[in-house]
Amino acid sequence: MSDAVEQARAAAAEARAAAEEARRLADEAARRAEELAAALEQAAGAPAGATTERDGTTAPDATTGGDATAAPVATTATTALDATDSATQAASTTGTVPPDRSPAPAAPSTPADTSTPTAPSTVPSPGPLGPDAVARIRDGYTVTGSALELGALVNGEAMPEVQVRIPLGMLNRHGLVAGATGTGKTRTLQVLAEQIAAHGVPVFAADVKGDLSGLATAGEPSDKLLARTGGIGQQWRGVASQAEFYALGGKGTGVPVRATVSGFGPLLLSKVLGLNETQESSLGLVFHYAEQAGLALVDLADLRSVLTFLVSDEGKPELAALGGLSKQTAGVILRELVTFADQGADAFFGEPEIDTQVFLRTAADGRGIVSLLEVPGVQDQPAVFSTFLMWLLADLFNELPEVGDLDAPKLVFFFDEAHLLFSGASKDFTEQIVRTVRLIRSKGVGIVFVTQTPKDVPNDVLAQLGSRIQHQLRAHTPDDAKALRATVSTYPTSDYDLGEVLTSLATGEAIVTVMDERGAPTPVAWTRLRAPQGSMAPLPAPDLEARVAASPLLATYGTSVDPDSAREVLARRLEAAAAQTAAADAAEAAATAQAEAEREAARAAAAAAKEAAARERTEERERRAAQQEYERAQREFEQAERSARARRSPRSTGRTSTTRRAEDPLTGLLGSSLGRSIAKEVVRGVFATLRRRR
């Protein structure tokens, strides 16, 4: 690979040497053509003796025969032709034709008229453009009204007499500043911003690397700077611009710029989070619900609270009529929000939300204020940066009235690192950008996209751009070469070999084409751009901090506030729901306890009834046993009584009775009337007691 590169470099060096030789020969031919013209002029002083014919050639004088003058003229013409042929041959030998080094016109083959010379009297241009092309560019960039001075035409060398300009009124037709890293895009942006502000038009620009902050102080002259600016006709002097410094969410040095989540919107937020179409649609549904429910989405915590609520048991019925929200989709969005917040994006969202009208202010002296947004961490959060700028544009579009075409725009918005905006953009997001770019012109806002190559910007957006400043492009890879060819194909027809010119532009040079005052595209012009009048060094940190501290906007936007929003509302709602649930649980517990008590009482009553029944059965058995015992005793008593009567029967002998009564006193007692009375009372008493116990 290195050998091939070295060979290519050697071939390029040889080609350049051959081109220089061809240029030298062409210059020699031009010099000899001048000698021819001088000879013709000298011959014009001789006595006129020739007659001019209809074809423009002259016939020799009859008196002199033309010999005295024709010989030197013919000799000079032949020499010029030989020099021209030598230049052409040298160029063809190397295979490289030097751009716009046209051969000197040949002298007429017939003797010239001594009174009217026909040879050219102008010197061919040393650059790729001929006199006619230069004249077209001079006329194309002549502006009668207010204009921005871009620089001078380059045609081999800078031509300070041919200035390249942009009509101020055409800035709202939008523009593009493109070029590889280190080719001068930032300085071009500074030149444009300074001049726009000087015409009384406010400017907004993102200061990605902090290089633009120096425009707030006057630049310092140097020999190199003055030599360059003098060479393009710029009367340079150091001038400071009025500037206001901002920082996203207060991250950095500047007045904090914040937006609410609801103001940011679901479409831009989906772009930041990298959601697919389904998730983007679901997020839009969440925003719709929050708006209908009066839930203010101020910061990311509010959005997370709403998402969590909508997938909970309490929140699911809220979206039932709208199709519901998948728990899996909500989980993806929540995870992306957590990651987004961990990157520090929480600081970007909140209140007070910036009023975009502050970017439309002018200074007391009538100059526009340059608003610079510091974004030092754009490499870490490119999507946040680009979509935040897009939010500013969308907010301006919604807030500003229709004004149509103005002599000067109300604001010029520089969209730096524009490729970050379109990287991975969804179809809906791109359509929104195209619509905003197309329609915001009628609101008096001009947009200038700043990026590395035009292919970074979608075709639908490029089609809306009226001005293009293209710095050097590099074609070191096949993809670069393809991008170069695509870029060249988008330019109007010109006398340049744009494929070669775009890769050979020096730093601070660009290919320019804009819209003239009639709205027509101007000729393509190789331009050496002007130098900024402000400092090209960043503003020192102490000076920057002092300017921010003195800003009148700091009192309004300097301190973040946390209003009553969706998170607090839902927290109260959930607390109320939790309290209601706790009360319901307590009531349910009380009811359960009461039911349990009733069941326990029922069980106790049943046990008591069972015990009573058992006791009743026991007493019944005892009563029956006592009854049976009574009946047995009664039977025995009756039997004893019958036995006693039988013994008292007259048939019994007295001896026997006497003997038995003597032997059985109890029987004698029971047999007596007294004994029988006692026995009856005893039995009655026993059973009467039993009845009372029952």
Side-chain angles (χ1 to χ4, degrees):
M1 176 64 72
S2 60
D3 293 340
V5 172
E6 291 299 328
Q7 292 174 2
R9 289 176 178 172
E14 292 175 1
R16 284 195 295 271
E20 291 297 329
E21 178 63 18
R23 178 181 297 179
R24 186 187 65 77
L25 293 174
D27 291 342
E28 180 67 20
R31 185 182 63 78
R32 293 185 180 182
E34 289 179 2
E35 292 177 356
L36 172 61
L40 290 174
E41 291 176 359
Q42 185 178 12
T51 57
T52 304
E53 298 187 3
R54 296 180 65 181
D55 61 357
T57 60
T58 57
D61 186 277
T63 305
T64 63
D67 295 338
T69 58
V73 171
T75 302
T76 307
T78 302
T79 305
L81 287 172
D82 292 342
T84 302
D85 292 340
S86 300
T88 304
Q89 181 179 2
S92 62
T93 301
T94 61
T96 303
V97 179
D100 296 333
R101 300 298 192 270
S102 303
S109 58
T110 58
D113 184 1
T114 57
S115 61
T116 307
T118 59
S121 60
T122 58
V123 180
S125 168
L129 302 180
D132 293 341
V134 171
R136 285 196 301 271
I137 291 176
R138 180 188 291 109
D139 295 341
Y141 289 94
T142 299
V143 180
T144 58
S146 299
L148 307 184
E149 300 287 343
L150 291 182
L153 177 69
V154 175
N155 194 27
E157 296 295 336
M159 301 180 67
E161 69 275 12
V162 183
Q163 291 292 312
V164 177
R165 306 174 178 89
I166 299 179
L168 186 62
M170 290 295 109
L171 287 176
N172 65 348
R173 304 298 177 90
H174 312 318
L176 173 71
V177 177
T181 301
T183 57
K185 295 193 303 295
T186 302
R187 295 300 151 228
T188 299
L189 194 159
Q190 184 173 347
V191 167
L192 294 174
E194 289 176 350
Q195 292 193 54
I196 293 169
H199 281 88
V201 178
V203 174
F204 180 92
D207 193 5
V208 175
K209 295 173 289 186
D211 295 338
L212 291 175
S213 60
L215 60 76
T217 59
E220 295 291 335
S222 66
D223 293 341
K224 182 178 179 181
L225 175 64
L226 294 178
R228 186 184 189 281
T229 56
I232 60 175
Q234 179 184 3
Q235 301 299 318
W236 189 91
R237 63 186 181 90
V239 177
S241 299
Q242 290 281 349
E244 188 78 65
F245 299 93
Y246 299 89
L248 281 181
K251 284 193 166 184
T253 306
V255 176
V257 175
R258 302 182 184 89
T260 62
V261 171
S262 57
F264 204 73
L267 190 59
L268 289 175
L269 191 57
S270 298
K271 168 65 169 62
V272 175
L273 299 178
L275 304 181
N276 60 32
E277 292 184 0
T278 301
Q279 295 156 358
E280 181 180 316
S281 175
S282 298
L283 187 60
L285 183 64
V286 173
F287 272 72
H288 174 76
Y289 165 76
E291 182 178 0
Q292 296 298 317
L295 300 174
L297 299 178
V298 175
D299 52 26
L300 294 179
D302 292 327
L303 183 56
R304 289 197 298 267
S305 297
V306 174
L307 278 165
T308 304
F309 171 74
L310 290 177
V311 295
S312 66
D313 293 337
E314 295 82 3
K316 283 181 181 179
E318 300 283 346
L319 286 182
L322 300 177
L325 177 65
S326 166
K327 192 170 185 178
Q328 290 77 11
T329 300
V332 171
I333 298 174
L334 283 170
R335 286 195 296 273
E336 294 298 333
L337 285 173
V338 170
T339 303
F340 189 41
D342 289 343
Q343 294 174 352
D346 266 338
F348 303 152
F349 297 96
E351 286 191 346
E353 184 176 75
I354 194 74
D355 182 0
T356 49
Q357 294 294 320
V358 302
F359 304 132
L360 303 177
R361 296 178 300 143
T362 57
D365 58 4
R367 291 186 296 170
I369 293 179
V370 181
S371 299
L372 296 177
L373 178 66
E374 182 184 357
V375 277
V378 64
Q379 294 82 3
D380 300 328
Q381 298 170 316
V384 177
F385 155 73
S386 60
T387 47
F388 208 93
L389 293 187
M390 192 62 213
W391 168 78
L392 291 177
L393 271 184
D395 193 71
L396 285 168
F397 177 77
N398 293 328
E399 295 294 330
L400 293 177
E402 293 280 344
V403 294
D405 287 328
L406 302 174
D407 293 336
K410 298 175 68 174
L411 173 71
V412 176
F413 194 101
F414 286 91
F415 213 128
D416 201 2
E417 301 292 342
H419 61 282
L420 300 176
L421 177 65
F422 303 103
S423 176
S426 66
K427 181 180 178 182
D428 290 341
F429 183 76
T430 303
E431 288 177 353
Q432 185 187 31
I433 296 174
V434 174
R435 183 170 59 253
T436 302
V437 171
R438 182 185 299 118
L439 299 179
I440 203 170
R441 178 182 67 84
S442 62
K443 304 293 185 81
V445 177
I447 305 172
V448 178
F449 293 96
V450 184
T451 187
Q452 295 184 0
T453 67
K455 71 181 181 65
D456 294 333
V457 181
N459 293 333
D460 290 339
V461 176
L462 285 176
Q464 306 298 321
L465 308 182
S467 301
R468 292 178 62 179
I469 302 175
Q470 178 66 64
H471 288 268
Q472 180 194 137
L473 288 176
R474 299 183 181 123
H476 299 321
T477 67
D479 288 341
D480 292 340
K482 182 178 179 181
L484 176 62
R485 290 192 297 271
T487 300
V488 169
S489 67
T490 61
Y491 277 92
T493 302
S494 69
D495 294 332
Y496 296 108
D497 180 357
L498 287 177
E500 179 182 350
V501 172
L502 285 173
T503 56
S504 60
L505 291 170
T507 301
E509 294 182 352
I511 294 296
V512 176
T513 179
V514 302
M515 299 186 83
D516 63 20
E517 291 175 303
R518 299 175 295 112
T522 58
V524 177
W526 182 346
T527 306
R528 185 165 296 165
L529 299 168
R530 292 192 163 213
Q533 294 179 293
S535 174
M536 288 184 274
L539 198 65
D543 293 348
L544 181 60
E545 292 172 359
R547 288 174 180 267
V548 173
S551 171
L553 301 176
L554 199 62
T556 303
Y557 300 106
T559 304
S560 176
V561 297
D562 187 12
D564 192 61
S565 54
R567 179 181 55 179
E568 290 79 12
V569 172
L570 289 176
R572 289 195 299 269
R573 184 184 299 182
L574 291 175
E575 288 176 2
Q580 185 176 359
T581 301
D585 291 343
E588 183 179 358
T592 301
Q594 183 177 359
E596 183 64 25
E598 291 176 354
R599 287 193 297 271
E600 187 65 27
R603 286 195 296 269
K610 184 177 180 180
E611 183 179 356
R615 199 165 48 246
E616 180 70 20
R617 288 193 297 272
T618 300
E619 291 178 352
E620 180 64 21
R621 286 195 299 271
E622 290 177 352
R623 185 184 64 79
R624 289 178 179 176
Q627 182 67 27
Q628 290 173 358
E629 181 65 22
Y630 169 76
E631 291 175 352
R632 185 184 62 75
Q634 185 68 24
R635 288 193 300 272
E636 289 179 352
F637 176 76
E638 291 176 351
Q639 184 179 2
E641 189 176 26
R642 286 193 300 270
S643 298
R645 281 195 304 267
R647 284 193 299 270
R648 288 192 306 270
S649 172
R651 289 176 293 183
S652 301
T653 61
R655 185 180 177 187
T656 303
S657 301
T658 306
T659 304
R660 290 181 179 171
R661 285 194 296 269
E663 293 176 356
D664 190 2
L666 178 60
T667 303
L669 177 61
L670 292 174
S672 65
S673 59
L674 178 59
R676 288 195 299 271
S677 298
I678 292 171
K680 288 180 180 180
E681 290 298 327
V682 169
V683 172
R684 187 180 298 113
V686 170
F687 288 104
T689 302
L690 289 175
R691 283 195 297 271
R692 281 195 301 271
R693 187 167 58 236
R694 289 197 304 270

